[in-house]
Amino acid sequence: MQGYMRGREFVPFEKVTRLSVADDDLGDWVFVGVIVGKSISRAAAAATPAGATSAAPASSVFGSATSRKYCVMRLGDLRGNVINAFLFDRTFDRHAGEAVGGVFAVLNPRILPCTERFGIVGLEIDHPDKFLRLGTSVDFAHCKAVADGQEKCSTVIDRRFGEYCSKHALANLKRSRARRQELVVGDAILSIRDQNGNRMNSETKPTPRGALYVIRPGVTVSVDDGKADAFVSGKPSAPAPLSKAM
């Protein structure tokens, strides 16, 4: 693993979430993230060249007249920061089956333009060797809260900071204050903070959604994260040591 990192700039995950296409000249860089969700397999349809008829064979911008299979790995840092990583071709073939909870180093991905102004950063991993498995996160967990409809919260959390996501931790605090009159009145001011050290309030920030990303000029691919079945999650596989091949 040290051989892969030598000479490369390590970019903190939080900084990766703020990248734009203007930053697509970072040079030789790497970041590390945890798979917190993954899409079902999809197919990017071939593009029809300008002036071509629908009856003519399509010449895909991907170099093929057939559709191109891909999937989206949602990578995160277990602190609420996430990005969408697109896996195509050989990268898809090798890594589409990776389990949620896996820890990966990503080398020199291509930053994709997003059609949404405040969408999640999208990256294309164009070679299977640029998506390196380091092991499995022992801190990966899902919020243990259960909604009124008996549906378990799917928010990914860092188990080192508790068993609930920010939203449900705050809800638990409010219930505790309602039950204990001495916490409702008086001069005492209580608050809880998330794993980033930020004070929680009653407002929940909406999760930014980047539904479309520009893969090539005139061609976009969809994340469809507004659909219930767009991303699937599950229990992480058993913790594994670093691969000797690394």
Side-chain angles (χ1 to χ4, degrees):
M1 187 60 201
Q2 292 181 348
Y4 283 100
M5 295 294 189
R6 187 176 298 114
R8 290 189 168 97
E9 178 186 0
F10 178 79
V11 179
F13 194 93
E14 185 176 1
K15 181 178 179 180
V16 176
T17 64
R18 299 194 299 267
L19 295 177
S20 67
V21 289
D23 301 307
D24 207 13
D25 58 352
L26 293 175
D28 202 0
W29 63 289
V30 60
F31 75 93
V32 174
V34 180
I35 298 178
V36 298
K38 54 187 293 188
S39 76
I40 57 176
S41 298
R42 299 190 176 94
T48 303
T53 64
S54 57
S59 176
S60 171
V61 293
F62 304 130
S64 172
T66 60
S67 61
R68 186 186 187 194
K69 284 188 176 181
Y70 73 96
C71 70
V72 187
M73 295 289 183
R74 181 155 290 177
L75 303 180
D77 60 359
L78 305 186
R79 296 193 173 197
N81 299 309
V82 293
I83 61 98
N84 290 321
F86 288 79
L87 279 57
F88 291 97
D89 305 326
R90 289 186 298 163
T91 309
F92 170 87
D93 293 337
R94 184 186 299 181
H95 296 294
E98 299 289 358
V100 170
V103 182
F104 284 80
V106 181
L107 312 178
N108 301 324
R110 188 171 72 90
I111 302 171
L112 301 176
C114 179
T115 59
E116 300 291 334
R117 182 178 179 185
F118 299 107
I120 297 174
V121 168
L123 304 173
E124 180 185 1
I125 304 174
D126 58 8
H127 194 284
D129 291 341
K130 291 184 177 182
F131 196 51
L132 308 174
R133 181 179 175 85
L134 305 182
T136 302
S137 172
V138 297
D139 301 315
F140 175 96
H142 287 98
C143 173
K144 64 179 296 185
V146 178
D148 295 337
Q150 302 302 312
E151 184 177 347
K152 191 173 181 180
C153 178
S154 61
T155 301
V156 172
I157 61 172
D158 186 333
R159 70 172 78 246
R160 294 174 298 175
F161 296 94
E163 299 177 317
Y164 298 94
C165 65
S166 300
K167 175 183 176 181
H168 289 110
L170 183 60
N172 290 340
L173 175 63
K174 288 182 175 180
R175 283 193 291 269
S176 296
R177 294 182 65 180
R179 288 194 298 265
R180 300 183 60 184
Q181 187 65 23
E182 64 271 25
L183 298 182
V184 178
V185 298
D187 297 327
I189 298 177
L190 298 180
S191 67
I192 55 177
R193 297 178 181 273
D194 61 20
Q195 53 264 55
N196 296 316
N198 300 316
R199 183 175 176 178
M200 299 181 198
N201 54 43
S202 58
E203 297 182 358
T204 301
K205 295 182 179 180
T207 301
R209 289 176 173 174
L212 293 173
Y213 295 85
V214 180
I215 299 297
R216 298 291 184 272
V219 177
T220 59
V221 289
S222 174
V223 173
D224 285 337
D225 52 355
K227 295 182 179 179
D229 61 348
F231 279 83
V232 295
S233 60
K235 295 181 179 179
S237 55
L242 295 181
S243 170
K244 293 182 180 179
M246 300 293 183

